[in-house]
Amino acid sequence: MITPIEPKNKRVLANAKLGIVFGKKIHHPGTKANPYFERALHGYANSSEFTRTKEALAKDLKANIKAEILKRFK
């Protein structure tokens, strides 16, 4: 998606440090997406650490549910 970029407070777009003047309006093509979060999530989901965490959570949840049921029926 090409995005037009226009100056906000000046008459032209420029880089003062480099001395480059781009013009009154430019069309930026954008950048390609970098799905780093998705790659990290899939990497973690397929790891042994995730499996251990999931099993520990299930064990803890089971114990808490069991204790809560026993507490309610006493």
XYZ file of all heavy atoms in Angstrom:
590
model
N 0.843 -1.174 0.000
C 0.000 0.000 0.000
C 0.892 1.242 0.000
O 1.735 1.406 0.866
C -0.879 -0.023 1.254
C -1.784 1.144 1.351
S -2.833 0.941 2.792
C -3.409 2.571 2.947
N 0.705 2.078 -0.962
C 1.508 3.296 -1.061
C 0.851 4.391 -0.237
O -0.333 4.681 -0.393
C 1.679 3.728 -2.516
C 2.457 2.650 -3.270
C 2.360 5.067 -2.620
C 2.654 2.931 -4.725
N 1.627 4.973 0.653
C 1.125 5.992 1.563
C 1.722 7.345 1.215
O 2.939 7.478 1.160
C 1.515 5.636 3.010
O 1.076 4.321 3.284
C 0.890 6.589 3.997
N 0.870 8.350 0.989
C 1.421 9.688 0.740
C 1.902 10.316 2.050
O 1.262 10.177 3.088
C 0.254 10.470 0.154
C -0.956 9.759 0.627
C -0.568 8.320 0.825
N 3.045 10.980 1.998
C 3.585 11.673 3.165
C 3.734 13.142 2.796
O 4.331 13.479 1.780
C 4.948 11.091 3.584
C 4.796 9.606 3.904
C 5.506 11.844 4.778
C 6.108 8.911 4.181
N 3.152 14.006 3.637
C 3.219 15.443 3.403
C 3.809 16.127 4.638
O 3.656 15.639 5.748
C 1.819 15.996 3.125
C 1.180 15.416 1.866
C -0.226 15.930 1.633
O -0.629 16.924 2.274
O -0.920 15.333 0.810
N 4.471 17.276 4.453
C 5.020 17.992 5.607
C 3.911 18.575 6.479
O 2.849 18.944 5.983
C 5.863 19.101 4.974
C 5.313 19.267 3.612
C 4.761 17.943 3.199
N 4.160 18.635 7.800
C 3.161 19.170 8.721
C 3.391 20.652 8.995
O 2.449 21.433 8.979
C 3.200 18.395 10.037
C 2.734 16.971 9.894
C 2.753 16.256 11.215
C 2.305 14.822 11.046
N 2.342 14.079 12.295
N 4.630 21.028 9.267
C 4.911 22.406 9.665
C 5.821 23.159 8.690
O 6.161 24.301 8.942
C 5.558 22.423 11.059
C 4.666 21.786 12.105
O 3.456 21.933 12.038
N 5.254 21.091 13.040
N 6.229 22.530 7.639
C 7.148 23.153 6.670
C 6.528 23.101 5.277
O 5.478 22.499 5.060
C 8.495 22.420 6.671
C 9.157 22.305 8.024
C 9.664 23.637 8.498
C 10.321 23.468 9.861
N 10.779 24.669 10.432
N 7.225 23.691 4.320
C 6.714 23.694 2.948
C 7.143 22.464 2.161
O 6.462 22.048 1.241
C 7.165 24.956 2.221
C 6.487 26.191 2.793
C 6.629 27.388 1.920
N 8.021 27.812 1.814
C 8.486 28.621 0.890
N 7.675 29.129 -0.001
N 9.752 28.957 0.869
N 8.296 21.878 2.533
C 8.777 20.678 1.832
C 9.308 19.670 2.845
O 9.660 20.010 3.965
C 9.903 21.007 0.821
C 9.385 21.843 -0.315
C 11.076 21.649 1.501
N 9.372 18.426 2.393
C 9.976 17.372 3.202
C 11.468 17.368 2.922
O 11.896 17.369 1.775
C 9.388 16.013 2.834
C 7.928 15.800 3.226
C 7.379 14.582 2.504
C 7.813 15.616 4.719
N 12.260 17.384 3.984
C 13.708 17.434 3.797
C 14.410 16.816 4.998
O 13.849 16.721 6.090
C 14.159 18.877 3.616
N 15.650 16.402 4.770
C 16.522 15.945 5.841
C 17.584 17.015 6.008
O 18.525 17.104 5.210
C 17.139 14.595 5.492
C 17.993 14.045 6.602
O 18.592 14.782 7.375
N 18.060 12.721 6.667
N 17.442 17.841 7.035
C 18.345 18.971 7.239
C 19.776 18.520 7.512
O 20.728 19.168 7.075
C 17.838 19.842 8.384
N 19.946 17.415 8.226
C 21.298 16.929 8.538
C 22.068 16.536 7.291
O 23.262 16.780 7.187
C 21.218 15.740 9.496
C 20.789 16.113 10.898
C 20.802 14.907 11.806
C 20.364 15.278 13.205
N 20.334 14.130 14.093
N 21.384 15.895 6.354
C 22.050 15.454 5.127
C 21.943 16.462 3.993
O 22.597 16.316 2.968
C 21.462 14.109 4.663
C 21.633 12.933 5.626
C 20.953 11.698 5.050
C 23.104 12.651 5.876
N 21.092 17.459 4.185
C 20.919 18.469 3.144
C 20.148 17.956 1.945
O 20.358 18.392 0.824
N 19.233 17.021 2.155
C 18.455 16.439 1.067
C 17.030 16.990 1.129
O 16.394 16.977 2.175
C 18.403 14.902 1.178
C 19.810 14.310 1.130
C 17.545 14.306 0.080
C 19.841 12.828 1.441
N 16.526 17.455 -0.011
C 15.144 17.920 -0.114
C 14.388 16.893 -0.937
O 14.777 16.555 -2.051
C 15.065 19.310 -0.786
C 13.616 19.722 -0.969
C 15.830 20.338 0.031
N 13.286 16.371 -0.377
C 12.518 15.325 -1.052
C 11.382 15.888 -1.894
O 11.014 15.315 -2.895
C 11.948 14.340 -0.025
C 13.014 13.640 0.767
C 13.239 13.973 2.085
C 13.806 12.669 0.187
C 14.214 13.330 2.821
C 14.789 12.027 0.912
C 14.995 12.356 2.236
N 10.793 16.992 -1.463
C 9.699 17.597 -2.216
C 8.515 17.904 -1.330
O 8.551 17.737 -0.117
N 7.423 18.373 -1.944
C 6.232 18.753 -1.197
C 5.422 17.539 -0.747
O 4.707 17.593 0.240
C 5.347 19.661 -2.039
C 5.961 21.013 -2.282
C 5.010 21.900 -3.031
C 5.648 23.274 -3.204
N 4.715 24.218 -3.784
N 5.531 16.468 -1.498
C 4.755 15.271 -1.183
C 5.497 14.069 -1.757
O 5.973 14.115 -2.891
C 3.365 15.386 -1.810
C 2.406 14.297 -1.491
C 1.062 14.607 -2.149
C -0.001 13.650 -1.717
N -1.286 13.947 -2.339
N 5.594 13.000 -0.976
C 6.209 11.781 -1.493
C 5.251 10.624 -1.262
O 4.340 10.698 -0.438
C 7.576 11.480 -0.826
C 7.416 11.262 0.675
C 8.569 12.581 -1.104
C 8.644 10.686 1.325
N 5.455 9.565 -1.997
C 4.641 8.353 -1.857
C 5.555 7.240 -1.370
O 6.445 6.794 -2.083
C 3.988 7.977 -3.183
C 3.034 9.009 -3.665
N 1.767 9.127 -3.158
C 3.165 9.990 -4.581
C 1.155 10.124 -3.749
N 1.988 10.673 -4.629
N 5.314 6.806 -0.133
C 6.150 5.768 0.466
C 5.494 4.412 0.228
O 4.320 4.216 0.507
C 6.301 6.029 1.972
C 7.361 5.202 2.601
N 7.181 3.888 2.917
C 8.635 5.502 2.954
C 8.286 3.412 3.458
N 9.184 4.373 3.481
N 6.253 3.430 -0.274
C 5.661 2.124 -0.564
C 5.386 1.280 0.674
O 4.768 0.229 0.589
C 6.714 1.452 -1.444
C 7.988 2.074 -1.031
C 7.652 3.490 -0.670
N 5.843 1.709 1.843
C 5.644 0.926 3.056
C 6.746 -0.113 3.203
O 7.686 -0.166 2.421
N 6.609 -0.945 4.193
C 7.593 -1.998 4.424
C 6.891 -3.332 4.558
O 5.730 -3.406 4.962
C 8.414 -1.739 5.707
O 7.503 -1.613 6.795
C 9.237 -0.474 5.594
N 7.608 -4.384 4.229
C 7.073 -5.729 4.322
C 6.914 -6.095 5.794
O 7.749 -5.760 6.635
C 8.027 -6.700 3.637
C 7.531 -8.112 3.569
C 8.528 -9.002 2.866
C 8.064 -10.442 2.917
N 9.064 -11.350 2.381
N 5.833 -6.794 6.112
C 5.569 -7.204 7.489
C 6.658 -8.156 7.987
O 7.221 -8.942 7.218
C 4.214 -7.892 7.573
N 6.957 -8.061 9.277
C 7.915 -8.946 9.919
C 7.192 -9.632 11.076
O 7.127 -9.101 12.174
C 9.116 -8.138 10.425
C 10.143 -9.014 11.095
O 10.037 -10.234 11.106
N 11.150 -8.386 11.666
N 6.647 -10.830 10.844
C 5.834 -11.492 11.865
C 6.677 -12.141 12.968
O 6.581 -13.333 13.239
C 5.055 -12.532 11.070
C 5.963 -12.873 9.940
C 6.688 -11.595 9.609
N 7.523 -11.349 13.623
C 8.428 -11.885 14.634
C 7.662 -12.453 15.828
O 8.054 -13.465 16.400
C 9.409 -10.810 15.111
C 8.769 -9.632 15.778
C 8.581 -9.603 17.149
C 8.314 -8.548 15.032
C 7.966 -8.525 17.759
C 7.697 -7.480 15.642
C 7.535 -7.465 17.000
O 6.920 -6.410 17.608
N 6.566 -11.827 16.220
C 5.808 -12.312 17.369
C 5.187 -13.671 17.060
O 5.193 -14.570 17.901
C 4.731 -11.298 17.755
C 4.028 -11.645 19.035
C 4.670 -11.467 20.253
C 2.751 -12.155 19.029
C 4.033 -11.786 21.442
C 2.114 -12.480 20.207
C 2.760 -12.300 21.417
N 4.672 -13.829 15.857
C 4.073 -15.091 15.454
C 5.125 -16.209 15.436
O 4.864 -17.317 15.921
C 3.447 -14.942 14.072
C 2.695 -16.160 13.597
C 2.029 -15.943 12.250
O 1.799 -14.778 11.880
O 1.744 -16.945 11.582
N 6.312 -15.908 14.922
C 7.389 -16.905 14.909
C 7.805 -17.284 16.326
O 8.028 -18.462 16.637
C 8.598 -16.384 14.142
C 8.403 -16.332 12.644
C 9.727 -16.103 11.918
N 10.459 -14.953 12.398
C 10.365 -13.722 11.912
N 9.549 -13.487 10.915
N 11.086 -12.742 12.406
N 7.888 -16.286 17.215
C 8.266 -16.554 18.607
C 7.208 -17.408 19.291
O 7.534 -18.340 20.034
C 8.470 -15.252 19.353
N 5.946 -17.104 19.055
C 4.862 -17.858 19.665
C 4.869 -19.308 19.200
O 4.755 -20.233 20.009
C 3.517 -17.204 19.337
C 2.285 -17.887 19.904
C 2.325 -17.885 21.434
C 1.027 -17.207 19.417
N 5.028 -19.523 17.898
C 5.072 -20.890 17.375
C 6.303 -21.635 17.893
O 6.224 -22.820 18.203
C 5.045 -20.893 15.849
C 3.711 -20.552 15.280
N 2.585 -21.308 15.492
C 3.310 -19.503 14.530
C 1.552 -20.763 14.885
N 1.965 -19.651 14.299
N 7.412 -20.939 18.000
C 8.618 -21.563 18.540
C 8.429 -21.996 19.980
O 8.848 -23.087 20.376
N 7.788 -21.149 20.784
C 7.549 -21.484 22.185
C 6.508 -22.595 22.300
O 6.649 -23.511 23.104
C 7.083 -20.251 22.961
C 6.778 -20.546 24.407
C 7.793 -20.884 25.296
C 5.477 -20.513 24.880
C 7.515 -21.172 26.623
C 5.194 -20.802 26.201
C 6.210 -21.130 27.073
O 5.933 -21.424 28.374
N 5.442 -22.531 21.499
C 4.379 -23.535 21.566
C 4.886 -24.923 21.211
O 4.344 -25.926 21.683
C 3.226 -23.140 20.651
N 5.924 -25.006 20.402
C 6.483 -26.297 20.001
C 7.656 -26.722 20.876
O 8.295 -27.732 20.597
C 6.921 -26.249 18.533
C 5.742 -26.054 17.604
O 4.653 -26.541 17.868
N 5.945 -25.337 16.520
N 7.925 -25.987 21.939
C 9.090 -26.302 22.772
C 8.720 -27.223 23.929
O 7.565 -27.340 24.324
C 9.693 -25.006 23.335
O 8.830 -24.461 24.311
N 9.729 -27.867 24.488
C 9.505 -28.739 25.640
C 9.173 -27.905 26.875
O 8.475 -28.371 27.773
C 10.742 -29.602 25.896
O 11.863 -28.787 26.156
N 9.650 -26.674 26.926
C 9.338 -25.796 28.056
C 7.835 -25.543 28.130
O 7.244 -25.563 29.207
C 10.080 -24.467 27.921
C 9.819 -23.509 29.058
C 10.515 -22.173 28.865
O 11.354 -22.046 27.968
O 10.190 -21.266 29.635
N 7.210 -25.323 26.986
C 5.770 -25.101 26.955
C 5.030 -26.346 27.419
O 4.064 -26.265 28.178
C 5.315 -24.707 25.548
C 3.827 -24.513 25.433
C 3.220 -23.423 26.025
C 3.044 -25.411 24.743
C 1.851 -23.229 25.920
C 1.682 -25.230 24.646
C 1.077 -24.137 25.229
N 5.495 -27.519 26.990
C 4.863 -28.772 27.391
C 4.945 -28.951 28.910
O 3.956 -29.299 29.555
C 5.526 -29.955 26.672
O 5.434 -29.747 25.260
C 4.852 -31.262 27.025
N 6.115 -28.685 29.491
C 6.276 -28.801 30.946
C 5.384 -27.797 31.672
O 4.746 -28.130 32.672
C 7.735 -28.580 31.342
C 8.645 -29.737 31.033
C 10.014 -29.580 31.704
N 10.656 -28.290 31.468
C 11.448 -28.013 30.441
N 11.704 -28.936 29.552
N 11.986 -26.816 30.321
N 5.330 -26.587 31.181
C 4.496 -25.555 31.806
C 3.029 -25.932 31.738
O 2.290 -25.782 32.718
C 4.720 -24.201 31.112
O 6.099 -23.877 31.174
C 3.915 -23.104 31.748
N 2.593 -26.419 30.586
C 1.207 -26.823 30.395
C 0.846 -27.973 31.339
O -0.216 -27.957 31.968
C 1.003 -27.235 28.940
C -0.400 -27.606 28.567
C -0.552 -27.858 27.080
C 0.300 -29.026 26.654
N 0.080 -29.462 25.288
N 1.735 -28.954 31.466
C 1.474 -30.087 32.354
C 1.453 -29.655 33.817
O 0.614 -30.127 34.596
C 2.515 -31.183 32.116
C 2.323 -31.876 30.783
C 3.478 -32.788 30.413
O 4.478 -32.871 31.162
O 3.377 -33.432 29.351
N 2.353 -28.753 34.207
C 2.374 -28.261 35.587
C 1.104 -27.479 35.900
O 0.537 -27.606 36.988
C 3.606 -27.389 35.816
N 0.648 -26.679 34.946
C -0.582 -25.911 35.130
C -1.778 -26.840 35.273
O -2.638 -26.638 36.140
C -0.789 -24.946 33.959
C -2.051 -24.105 34.004
C -2.050 -23.197 35.221
C -2.177 -23.287 32.732
N -1.841 -27.876 34.436
C -2.947 -28.832 34.509
C -2.945 -29.548 35.857
O -4.001 -29.738 36.478
C -2.845 -29.834 33.370
N -1.780 -29.942 36.338
C -1.660 -30.627 37.629
C -2.115 -29.699 38.764
O -2.872 -30.110 39.651
C -0.210 -31.065 37.842
C 0.019 -31.864 39.089
C 1.478 -32.283 39.181
C 1.763 -33.039 40.457
N 3.172 -33.425 40.559
N -1.673 -28.456 38.730
C -2.041 -27.477 39.755
C -3.541 -27.185 39.722
O -4.199 -27.112 40.752
C -1.230 -26.194 39.546
C -1.396 -25.217 40.689
O -1.391 -25.664 41.854
O -1.535 -24.006 40.408
N -4.077 -27.031 38.528
C -5.505 -26.763 38.377
C -6.333 -27.937 38.894
O -7.335 -27.745 39.594
C -5.820 -26.488 36.901
C -7.209 -26.012 36.559
C -7.536 -24.725 37.296
C -7.341 -25.801 35.064
N -5.898 -29.151 38.586
C -6.599 -30.345 39.046
C -6.616 -30.395 40.576
O -7.656 -30.658 41.185
C -5.917 -31.590 38.487
C -6.555 -32.885 38.904
C -5.792 -34.068 38.318
C -6.355 -35.380 38.826
N -5.593 -36.522 38.295
N -5.485 -30.109 41.192
C -5.397 -30.122 42.653
C -6.290 -29.044 43.264
O -6.977 -29.295 44.268
C -3.945 -29.930 43.089
N -6.304 -27.871 42.686
C -7.140 -26.776 43.200
C -8.625 -27.070 43.057
O -9.413 -26.778 43.956
C -6.796 -25.458 42.510
C -5.477 -24.892 42.961
O -4.951 -25.273 44.002
N -4.926 -23.989 42.179
N -9.014 -27.652 41.936
C -10.420 -27.998 41.720
C -10.843 -29.081 42.709
O -11.916 -29.002 43.321
C -10.665 -28.444 40.263
C -10.538 -27.243 39.322
C -12.036 -29.107 40.112
C -10.572 -27.596 37.857
N -9.986 -30.080 42.876
C -10.274 -31.163 43.821
C -10.433 -30.605 45.234
O -11.383 -30.950 45.951
C -9.166 -32.207 43.776
C -9.430 -33.404 44.649
C -8.299 -34.407 44.512
C -8.529 -35.606 45.425
N -7.446 -36.582 45.313
N -9.527 -29.739 45.649
C -9.590 -29.151 46.994
C -10.846 -28.301 47.152
O -11.498 -28.335 48.203
C -8.341 -28.301 47.244
N -11.213 -27.572 46.139
C -12.412 -26.718 46.199
C -13.678 -27.569 46.290
O -14.596 -27.247 47.050
C -12.461 -25.799 44.974
C -13.505 -24.727 45.034
C -13.267 -23.699 46.132
O -12.116 -23.444 46.486
O -14.266 -23.162 46.641
N -13.733 -28.666 45.548
C -14.896 -29.565 45.602
C -15.007 -30.179 46.993
O -16.098 -30.216 47.579
C -14.798 -30.652 44.514
C -15.020 -30.026 43.136
C -15.810 -31.775 44.756
C -14.751 -30.956 41.978
N -13.897 -30.669 47.527
C -13.914 -31.275 48.869
C -14.326 -30.244 49.918
O -15.056 -30.566 50.859
C -12.553 -31.876 49.200
C -12.159 -33.124 48.387
C -10.738 -33.519 48.707
C -13.126 -34.260 48.650
N -13.872 -29.029 49.777
C -14.206 -27.952 50.720
C -15.699 -27.639 50.675
O -16.332 -27.421 51.694
C -13.376 -26.721 50.338
C -13.605 -25.523 51.210
C -12.659 -24.415 50.760
C -13.265 -23.061 50.980
N -12.407 -22.000 50.455
N -16.291 -27.637 49.503
C -17.720 -27.300 49.332
C -18.651 -28.391 49.864
O -19.770 -28.107 50.267
C -18.049 -27.045 47.863
C -17.282 -25.898 47.248
C -17.834 -24.594 47.697
N -17.047 -23.529 47.062
C -17.254 -22.272 47.282
N -18.202 -21.882 48.101
N -16.504 -21.359 46.710
N -18.187 -29.642 49.823
C -19.066 -30.752 50.239
C -18.818 -31.205 51.667
O -19.363 -32.210 52.084
C -18.933 -31.923 49.266
C -19.628 -31.667 47.967
C -18.915 -31.381 46.815
C -21.014 -31.708 47.887
C -19.559 -31.138 45.612
C -21.662 -31.470 46.691
C -20.933 -31.182 45.558
N -18.018 -30.491 52.451
C -17.803 -30.856 53.852
C -18.863 -30.247 54.722
O -19.437 -29.264 54.555
C -16.416 -30.416 54.326
C -15.373 -31.371 53.831
C -14.053 -31.021 54.474
C -13.028 -32.059 54.038
N -11.766 -31.878 54.658
